[in-house]
Amino acid sequence: MIVNSVLKGVRVVGDRTLKIVERVGATVAFLGLILVNSATSLKRPSLIVREVYYAGVQSLIIILVSGLFVGMVLGLQGHETLQKYGSEESVGVLVALALVREMGPVVSALLFASRAGSAITAEIGLMKATEQLSAMEMMAVSPVARVVAPRFWGGVLSMPLLALLFSSMGIFGGFVVAVVLIGVDNGAFWSQMQAAVDFRQDVVNGIIKSLVFGVAVSAIATFEGYEAPPTAEGVSGATTRTVVTSSLAILALDLLLTAFMLKGWN
Amino acid sequence: MENLVEISNLNFGYGQRLVLKGINLRIPRGRLVAIMGLSGCGKTTLLRLMGGQLQAREGQMRVAGEHLNHLGRDGLYRLRRKLGMLFQFGALFTDLSVFDNVAFQMREHTDLSESMIRDLTLMKLNAVGLRGVHTLMPSELSGGMARRVALARATALDPSLILYDEPFAGLDPISLGVIGQLIRRLNDALGATSVLVTHDIQESLKIVDYVYFVADGVILAEGTPEQIRASTLPFVHQFVWGESDGPMPFHYPAQPIQPDFGLAGRLS
Amino acid sequence: MERSTLNLWVGFFVLLGFGAFLMLAFKVGNLSIGASGKTYVVVAHFDNIGQLKERAPVRSAGVLVGRVSSIHFDAVHYNAEVRMSLDEQYHFPTDTSASVLTSGILGEQYIGLDAGGDDKMLKNGDEIKLAQGAMVLERLIGQFLFNKAQDGTTTKGAEK
């Protein structure tokens, strides 16, 4: 009896694991499909420009405002702690490193997943539910090339720009709190930051991270939309899955990338 | 006369369940043919098979000169360049304007100049009487107008075969008549062949040349509208005259009524 | 939306993003040296480098003049071979000395260069002969105690 229920539990864990692996595999395969079908949209940049507008420009407000707030909080908390060690001037270092290395890419990717990723999934899902994708297929136009690939590339291009803006805005927020409001020395704030933040190690690595996140979120969002059951519940479920899966993927990838970047790539 | 669509001994199914069984069907060039039947009888499946969206399990299919059984992706796209399809609710691209919807295939498949595309698109829209709405978005159209725009889009590249999936679903009587007349007129004007899947018997009998009746995955009856109207087959008769009971029973098969209402003991 | 308005917004967005990139590169980061400018490499062997890391700063008179590019263990001489990339605009005499220093008490370690008086200048691939390793606290204390103890024994010996 007990043995049976334990076995049942183990089987459930096994089932779930296999489903997750299957889903990850399918997403990666879909990413491959997108890349193979990217020629059309790369030849017609106007298709991508449109998606950069919907994915990037429309996320601008939320990214800028969140960046400002996150930077201000970092400035406040950093100052509070560093004060105890008598090194208030290092608050600039703390804010800049935290933002450029981690918070910028990660938080902006999380915001991007819930703002733009869910919108992409819902849009593609609805196009599928209303037979627009079938109609395109019947016009001998591949929906992956014409609908999915431009949205994917729009997301991939927007993500690093959004992360850079998030970090810049955050550093500005930290500056406002630390220098303008609290009164940390302006020169020390910037000079210590410049001495500590390395262009290649910190700025470029941050951009690499946000590029990887952009690929992951865009692939997940388009995949979920394309594979959504063509019903109202199907599309809403897919939208939720996009946000959940993307967030998990972002955090897991961040751990991997950070480990590699700190250890070196070899 | 040459047949544009030829289907012989077609079988198709999902898993164990056969949806279509031994279908034989010939549609000569230039005709407007209706495939009718109740919801879920397999008529939409038949249409999807003709468009190559589904693969037949057994049997021969020849559409517009292409053998559908061994068609690769390239062949499929070659076939679809010759097809136009009107989906149930139009399936207009919601992110493109009416003009861009109709111009879509010209932009994707031809190297026509933008001014040429503009002229052709407005001509197509004029043919369905909607040149005046070309700047609107699909969400700003009524159901009937959306269906007409979709019709203009389906005929944008002058296809030789036009497939209609439930073109009359959810339309008011006037729009319904307009769409019906347009389907007939466009077919004759373009010299195309049309296949109409519908369960709207009265409207389609007015416009089509020939009717196939599908029930339970087989072709039950076929003939010209006059023959269908005069048919004495019980099922066809029930369908044409919209009677609520007949060979298609009003009741879904169930166990005897007594136990369900707890009457078993008292009545017997 | 009009095509041109859309393009305008996207252009604005991309420019803003590049602006942020430039700010992070030059105002926040330190792209002014090492990463983009031309550099030349010199080598020094230290008996002990302490906590010195790759990409640690190389300073002369407190000014950043380069960065440590690689650190290897020299299996022949049993010491540490440190390569550093120096900014091409700065030249140092061949008898310049290098030492591993610490900024502040707990700060990071860096290499300090003290210019010598030679006429010839260091070229790409040259070695800095005068190299002093890091101070290791345990050794310093050990040496101090040893000296104290020795002082004690000699004075006691003298009293005898």
Side-chain angles (χ1 to χ4, degrees), chain A residues 15-194:
Chain A
D15 270 2
R16 289 277 162 81
T17 314
L18 282 178
K19 285 228 175 71
I20 292 171
V21 171
E22 202 181 297
R23 199 106 192 128
V24 171
T27 311
V28 172
F30 190 69
L31 176 60
L33 189 67
I34 295 176
L35 295 180
V36 171
N37 282 291
S38 286
T40 315
S41 44
L42 296 181
K43 262 185 267 168
R44 286 165 60 185
S46 63
L47 289 178
I48 298 180
V49 167
R50 191 179 165 280
E51 301 310 328
V52 170
Y53 177 82
Y54 286 109
V57 176
Q58 302 229 316
S59 309
L60 210 50
I61 299 289
I62 188 176
I63 289 285
L64 292 180
V65 173
S66 315
L68 186 69
F69 285 158
V70 167
M72 288 174 123
V73 169
L74 281 175
L76 271 176
Q77 292 279 15
H79 179 264
E80 185 70 19
T81 308
L82 289 170
Q83 202 180 25
K84 294 179 186 157
Y85 303 98
S87 46
E88 295 162 87
E89 293 81 12
S90 305
V91 67
V93 179
L94 186 138
V95 171
L97 282 184
L99 278 166
V100 171
R101 284 184 176 179
E102 285 296 330
M103 308 282 274
V106 172
V107 179
S108 58
L110 292 174
L111 291 170
F112 180 76
S114 29
R115 171 68 183 76
S118 59
I120 290 173
T121 304
E123 195 189 8
I124 296 179
L126 278 175
M127 289 183 86
K128 188 182 177 189
T130 53
E131 293 190 301
Q132 293 179 46
L133 297 186
S134 303
M136 197 172 279
E137 187 86 38
M138 284 304 295
M139 295 179 200
V141 175
S142 153
V144 176
R146 184 60 176 69
V147 172
V148 173
R151 280 164 179 76
F152 172 80
W153 287 110
V156 171
L157 290 181
S158 302
M159 189 65 258
L161 295 174
L162 290 173
L164 286 166
L165 285 167
F166 186 95
S167 299
S168 306
M169 208 60 195
I171 289 168
F172 175 71
F175 167 79
V176 168
V177 165
V179 177
V180 179
L181 298 181
I182 299 179
V184 172
D185 181 62
N186 187 22
F189 182 87
W190 291 108
S191 64
Q192 290 219 6
M193 191 190 293
Q194 280 197 355

Side-chain angles (χ1 to χ4, degrees), chain B residues 60-110:
Chain B
Q60 293 294 315
M61 286 191 79
R62 216 166 58 79
V63 175
E66 307 276 350
H67 286 276
L68 255 58
N69 302 62
H70 317 285
L71 216 53
R73 187 187 158 91
D74 290 343
L76 199 58
Y77 275 18
R78 195 171 61 235
L79 166 74
R80 286 178 179 172
R81 294 283 294 272
K82 298 184 235 171
L83 297 187
M85 181 155 178
L86 182 73
F87 281 81
Q88 194 163 0
F89 292 103
L92 292 176
F93 302 131
T94 40
D95 56 340
L96 299 179
S97 70
V98 166
F99 181 91
D100 290 336
N101 259 288
V102 179
F104 184 82
Q105 288 186 85
M106 304 180 196
R107 292 203 172 121
E108 296 293 328
H109 290 316
T110 67

Side-chain angles (χ1 to χ4, degrees), chain C residues 35-90:
Chain C
S36 72
K38 289 195 167 162
T39 57
Y40 64 101
V41 177
V42 295
V43 191
H45 287 86
F46 296 96
D47 53 355
N48 191 328
I49 57 164
Q51 303 295 312
L52 191 73
K53 298 267 172 31
E54 285 185 10
R55 299 212 48 83
V58 178
R59 299 175 196 276
S60 184
V63 178
L64 187 67
V65 295
R67 286 193 178 271
V68 171
S69 50
S70 72
I71 298 172
H72 292 291
F73 181 66
D74 182 338
V76 182
H77 303 98
Y78 302 110
N79 58 16
E81 181 192 279
V82 175
R83 295 179 164 272
M84 46 201 127
S85 318
L86 303 182
D87 197 317
E88 212 165 47
Q89 57 179 312
Y90 303 119

Side-chain angles (χ1 to χ4, degrees), chain B residues 84 176 219 236:
Chain B
L176 199 138
I219 291 181
V236 176

